[in-house]
């Protein structure tokens, strides 16, 4: 299959499915989608490529059909279904399913959700998801992963991280820890390839991207590495529409 990938998360209670807003991931380690595949170097939400037409097709042929098929097989599913979609020239196709929140896709989706996530999860357990309508803010979010230089092959660990307190004071900014730990002195240090997911919201994707990259400058550690083109597809989509 060829085309652009889009990630769509959903809540399921065995019968009803509620779709979250779309997101798009960048897997390659280096700018321009070069280098090795990683667990994700950044994401943005919503995806401008997940159009109303794509949503209508997926709701008709993919989302509820998946839930119904599992129930018909005697294996009703409750929880999170992650739909990895490929937007091919012949229409959307399912590239993969995951029974979990996608990482780092969820980091740009959940901050935009207006609902109380605990209430939604309880509805999945109780089978009352049909009574809930998911609501998302009319904005956008971008995540830039701060990694250890050399990831995903080899990299050094144990470097102190500074600047996290700056992000904590800012509204609409978030830091998700991926590869960190406390050292013997109580400092937060790097402890993995993907170290932090730095997320910022904005009125649109372009502003969210600017905010996220500004936030990456507030956080420092030796060996810090990131892609500099997360969300560049946003500009491409706008050119195609013009």
């Amino acid at each position: 299959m060829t085309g652009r990938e889009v990630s769509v998360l959903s809540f399921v209670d065995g019968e009803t499915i509620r779709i979250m807003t779309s997101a798009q991931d960048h897997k390659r380690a280096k700018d321009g989608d070069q280098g090795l595949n990683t667990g994700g170097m950044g994401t943005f939400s919503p995806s401008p490529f997940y159009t109303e037409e794509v949503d209508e097709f997926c709701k008709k042929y993919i989302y509820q059909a998946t839930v119904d098929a599992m129930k018909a097989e005697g294996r009703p599913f409750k929880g999170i279904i992650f739909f990895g979609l490929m937007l091919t020239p012949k229409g959307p196709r399912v590239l993969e399913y995951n029974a979990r929140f996608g990482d780092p896709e969820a980091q740009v989706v959940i901050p935009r959700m207006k609902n109380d996530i605990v209430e939604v999860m309880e509805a999945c357990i109780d089978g009352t998801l049909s009574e809930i309508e998911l609501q998302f803010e009319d904005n956008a979010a971008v995540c830039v992963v701060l990694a250890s230089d050399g990831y995903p092959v080899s990299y050094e660990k144990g470097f102190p991280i500074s600047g996290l307190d700056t992000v904590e004071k800012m509204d609409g900014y978030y830091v998700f820890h991926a590869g960190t730990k406390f050292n013997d002195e109580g400092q937060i240090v790097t402890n993995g390839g993907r170290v932090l997911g730095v997320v910022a919201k904005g009125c649109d994707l372009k502003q969210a991207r600017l905010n996220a990259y500004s936030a990456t400058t507030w956080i420092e550690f030796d060996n810090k590495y990131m892609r500099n083109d997360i969300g560049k597809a946003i500009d491409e989509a706008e050119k195609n529409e013009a």
Side-chain angles (χ1 to χ4, degrees), residues 23 56 68 74 92 122 148 175 197 206:
E56 184 178 341
D68 292 344
E122 288 179 341
S148 299
V175 175
K206 187 171 289 187

Side-chain angles (χ1 to χ4, degrees), residues 1-15:
M1 289 189 290
T2 59
R4 192 173 295 277
E5 289 186 51
V6 174
S7 303
V8 178
L9 290 160
S10 67
F11 293 101
V12 183
D13 71 354
E15 293 189 1

Side-chain angles (χ1 to χ4, degrees), residues 25-191:
D25 189 15
H26 294 260
K27 290 292 187 186
R28 296 284 184 171
K30 297 181 180 181
D31 289 0
D33 288 328
Q34 302 298 308
L36 298 174
N37 268 328
T38 72
M41 293 299 294
T43 49
F44 56 89
S45 173
S47 169
F49 306 102
Y50 188 81
T51 62
E52 290 183 7
E53 291 77 14
V54 170
D55 183 58
E56 184 178 341
F57 179 95
C58 292
K59 285 179 178 176
K60 184 175 181 180
Y61 296 107
I62 297 176
Y63 300 145
Q64 189 64 52
T66 297
V67 177
D68 292 344
M70 295 181 75
K71 181 182 177 182
E73 291 177 355
R75 297 180 292 180
F77 180 84
K78 293 186 177 185
I80 305 296
I81 296 181
F82 172 109
F83 294 89
L85 304 176
M86 181 77 81
L87 306 184
T88 77
K90 295 183 179 180
R93 298 292 185 269
V94 178
L95 187 64
E96 64 173 338
Y97 290 106
N98 279 312
R100 59 173 175 80
F101 281 109
D103 171 27
E105 290 92 342
Q107 297 175 18
V108 289
V109 171
I110 299 303
R112 298 182 55 227
M113 191 169 77
K114 294 181 179 180
N115 305 73
D116 184 327
I117 194 170
V118 174
E119 290 182 1
V120 179
M121 289 177 171
E122 288 179 341
C124 290
I125 296 168
D126 298 336
T128 58
L129 193 60
S130 61
E131 301 173 11
I132 290 180
E133 293 297 329
L134 295 185
Q135 295 183 325
F136 289 85
E137 297 172 354
D138 184 19
N139 57 9
V142 170
C143 170
V144 179
V145 170
L146 299 185
S148 299
D149 194 20
Y151 172 74
V153 181
S154 62
Y155 45 85
E156 295 182 66
K157 299 184 290 187
F159 297 114
I161 302 171
S162 63
L164 295 173
D165 54 338
T166 301
V167 184
E168 290 177 3
K169 300 172 185 176
M170 303 292 289
D171 185 41
Y173 293 80
Y174 312 86
V175 175
F176 294 89
H177 290 245
T180 66
K181 71 172 185 178
F182 287 105
N183 65 11
D184 293 339
E185 287 75 43
Q187 293 177 299
I188 298 177
V189 300
T190 64
N191 192 47

